[in-house]
Amino acid sequence: MNNFTMNSYEMKRDLMKFCEKISKGVSKPDKKFISDMMFGISKSGTVLISEIARSLKEEIKLNNTIERLCDNLVSFDNKEIIMNNYYQEVSKAISEEPVVLFDDSDITKIYGKKFEDLDRLVDGSSLTKEVKPGYHVCEATMLGMNEKQPISIYSEIYSSKSDGFISKNKYTLDSIDKANKIIKEKYTGVFDRGYDDNKIINYMEKSNKYFVIRMNNRRTFIFKNKKKNCYEEAVKRKGKIRMTLLFDDNVEYEVYVSHTKVVMPNNRKEYELVIVYGSSEERPLILLTNREIHSKEDVIKVVRLYFSRWRIEEYFRAKKQEYDFENMRVRSLKSINNLNMILT
């Protein structure tokens, strides 16, 4: 019991120190709001304001605490200051070979009626790909230097029904810009097949960053001066390099990998196409990268970089399952994004 009490005390002390660092430059009421919310979320394990208020155990009526926290979520305007302080802390965890994972998620609100600009979207966690009410989430996480823990560097919740909405790509390019600002050296950006887009490939090239992007099976490249479909070419080949992939459920997959040089018709630049056979999917997995490949080890590294994107899936799952994020009850998009920032 004594050890448990000491551990709890140390955790609270470390959390308060962190709150002090990221709240530097904001008013005392805003500092108190941030520390109350972070401590409340950590203690209650949920983003429900009522449970956060209960965990604070203030000597006032519970409804008054709930009202104060909700009002602050609506009126809080120092997000930029908080995030800049946060980025200073994040920059201390940049590894020697930085990796940034870019991905989209969603928040579904099946029974929501009064949420601001509630959108219609395909539920990514649904096997039948049902269309449900909810919000889109654009996320970028950096892998930390020790245990490769995903550290969020960009997280924005948005709706295509909001005034001023331009496109999904705008949020993706904003997330790349944020990664470029935080990580000064050359990093590798890892993208799933939803990001197979000439704009994103060209933007990463323009930013002078590496990328590994999973290709759509309909993508066409120039193979030895002839324009061909990448999937049709992939099934003709056989992987010459054998490697083992280990997933979190301790299931090992023995896969075979091949690679070839291709030219993109869009910008006439040469890239490496890496093809993975025998993963959990029946079809070969096709990756495009601007990293140079000179050896077997280089090919294996590209494959491992792509599969590191499961870290961001774990991050999404932690937010949704461990902190019940989809069950949040605040209604305005500003409040939702402020709550998301504090949870991040």
Side-chain angles (χ1 to χ4, degrees), residues 74-320:
V74 173
S75 62
F76 188 79
D77 289 320
N78 285 319
K79 183 178 177 181
E80 187 174 349
I81 296 174
I82 296 292
M83 292 308 293
N84 284 336
N85 291 334
Y86 170 72
Y87 293 141
Q88 287 183 17
E89 296 302 309
V90 165
S91 64
K92 299 172 185 176
I94 297 174
S95 63
E96 292 182 3
E97 293 187 55
V99 178
V100 181
L101 314 175
F102 297 89
D103 204 359
D104 280 335
S105 183
D106 53 71
I107 298 170
T108 56
K109 303 298 295 180
I110 302 173
Y111 305 108
K113 301 293 182 185
K114 296 186 178 181
F115 290 92
E116 181 184 6
D117 296 333
L118 198 61
D119 211 342
R120 300 285 296 174
L121 47 86
V122 177
D123 182 6
S125 59
S126 169
L127 294 176
T128 56
K129 302 299 180 186
E130 296 177 66
V131 176
K132 298 178 181 178
Y135 295 104
H136 303 275
V137 184
C138 180
E139 192 92 36
T141 61
M142 176 186 77
L143 295 184
M145 56 185 170
N146 295 324
E147 298 181 5
K148 304 298 183 183
Q149 180 178 349
I151 302 170
S152 179
I153 57 176
Y154 182 91
S155 185
E156 193 69 25
I157 298 168
Y158 66 94
S159 168
S160 63
K161 293 185 177 181
S162 297
D163 291 339
F165 173 80
I166 299 173
S167 69
K168 171 186 170 181
N169 269 354
K170 178 191 179 298
Y171 291 93
T172 302
L173 299 182
D174 285 348
S175 66
I176 295 171
D177 286 340
K178 185 60 68 178
N180 293 347
K181 184 177 179 181
I182 297 167
I183 307 171
K184 305 301 182 185
E185 56 264 46
K186 198 166 187 175
Y187 64 81
T188 300
V190 180
F191 303 82
D192 203 15
R193 58 184 154 195
Y195 293 89
D196 178 4
D197 190 306
N198 291 337
K199 294 187 187 72
I200 293 170
I201 293 170
N202 292 336
Y203 202 77
M204 290 297 288
E205 283 280 4
K206 182 182 175 182
S207 303
N208 192 31
K209 308 298 181 186
Y210 292 127
F211 62 77
V212 177
I213 303 179
R214 183 175 178 181
M215 293 287 99
N216 190 300
N217 289 335
R218 295 187 299 273
R219 170 68 82 160
T220 298
F221 292 105
I222 297 173
F223 295 81
K224 296 180 180 179
N225 298 320
K226 292 183 179 180
K227 191 179 283 190
K228 298 179 182 179
N229 173 268
C230 66
Y231 174 72
E232 291 175 0
E233 286 300 302
V235 294
K236 293 177 184 177
R237 299 167 181 265
K238 292 183 179 180
K240 296 181 180 179
I241 301 170
R242 187 175 69 178
M243 63 179 291
T244 301
L245 296 171
L246 178 65
F247 292 93
D248 282 344
D249 52 6
N250 289 323
V251 176
E252 284 191 0
Y253 286 98
E254 187 175 73
V255 299
Y256 293 84
V257 186
S258 67
H259 69 99
T260 184
K261 292 187 182 297
V262 296
V263 173
M264 275 191 66
N266 171 257
N267 59 16
R268 292 288 167 174
K269 289 189 176 181
E270 188 176 71
Y271 298 104
E272 292 282 356
L273 201 68
V274 177
I275 307 163
V276 184
Y277 305 87
S279 63
S280 57
E281 298 185 21
E282 293 181 5
R283 294 185 168 215
L285 188 148
I286 304 168
L287 307 174
L288 185 76
T289 183
N290 60 347
R291 294 182 66 96
E292 293 185 4
I293 294 179
H294 301 292
S295 65
K296 171 184 173 181
E297 287 71 28
D298 291 339
V299 180
I300 291 174
K301 185 168 187 176
V302 169
V303 177
R304 295 203 183 280
L305 280 169
Y306 173 75
F307 279 100
S308 71
R309 66 169 296 279
W310 288 109
R311 296 289 187 182
I312 198 170
E313 299 290 349
E314 294 169 355
Y315 172 79
F316 288 140
R317 187 167 64 245
K319 288 175 82 170
K320 290 181 178 182

